[in-house]
């Protein structure tokens, strides 16, 4: 069974940047889309917000291969390294309101969504 492992979280000052990575291992040959959600510390993923998503393996949404939540537009960029089964989230101009646990997900062509455990991003001076 596949697993997702996030990395790259940490403490950053307002206005700074971070690059998150999500390494997928095992069982991702049927990946349909991947992306990022976030939820505030103390909350749970079920109450989180969509950050960004990207299609995999030639799949295309009606609006293209990328999607962004409102909080990410213009500041965050989602990308992928298909050869290394890794998803990235480049976050620029970070604000204190971006403080959250960022979790990556993978939607396979069939079966339930997979989740990583999340990585904490803290934006504070």
């Amino acid at each position: 069974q596949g697993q997702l492992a996030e990395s790259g979280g940490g403490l950053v000052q307002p206005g700074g940047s971070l690059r998150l990575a999500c390494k997928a291992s095992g069982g991702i040959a049927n990946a349909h889309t991947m992306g990022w959600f976030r939820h505030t510390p103390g909350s749970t993923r079920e109450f989180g917000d969509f950050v960004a998503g990207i299609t995999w393996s030639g799949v295309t949404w009606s609006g293209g291969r990328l999607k962004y939540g409102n909080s990410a537009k213009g500041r965050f960029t989602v990308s992928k390294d298909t050869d290394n089964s890794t998803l990235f989230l480049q976050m620029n101009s970070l604000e204190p309101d971006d403080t959250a646990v960022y979790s990556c997900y993978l939607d396979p062509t069939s079966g339930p969504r997979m989740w990583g455990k999340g990585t904490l991003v803290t934006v504070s001076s």
Side-chain angles (χ1 to χ4, degrees):
Q1 187 173 356
Q3 292 184 329
L4 303 175
E6 302 94 337
S7 62
L11 175 65
V12 63
Q13 293 186 341
S17 298
L18 277 178
R19 189 189 196 204
L20 306 182
C22 174
K23 173 71 173 177
S25 59
I28 68 158
N30 62 344
H32 187 267
T33 61
M34 291 186 70
W36 297 90
F37 268 76
R38 71 182 188 184
H39 66 273
T40 55
S43 180
T44 61
R45 192 172 62 205
E46 287 72 21
F47 297 98
D49 296 319
F50 173 75
V51 177
I54 190 168
T55 63
W56 211 267
S57 300
V59 174
T60 303
W61 285 308
S62 59
R65 296 190 174 186
L66 303 177
K67 282 185 180 180
Y68 291 97
N70 288 333
S71 63
K73 291 178 181 177
R75 299 187 299 131
F76 297 179
T77 302
V78 63
S79 62
K80 63 182 181 181
D81 179 347
T82 304
D83 291 340
N84 292 294
S85 301
T86 304
L87 180 72
F88 299 101
L89 184 68
Q90 177 68 42
M91 304 187 294
N92 299 326
S93 302
L94 284 162
E95 304 166 351
D97 284 348
D98 295 316
T99 294
V101 176
Y102 287 73
S103 301
C104 72
Y105 71 87
L106 183 153
D107 286 332
T109 53
S110 62
R113 171 173 284 183
M114 293 169 51
W115 288 98
K117 293 183 178 181
T119 185
L120 177 62
V121 172
T122 302
V123 184
S124 175
S125 56

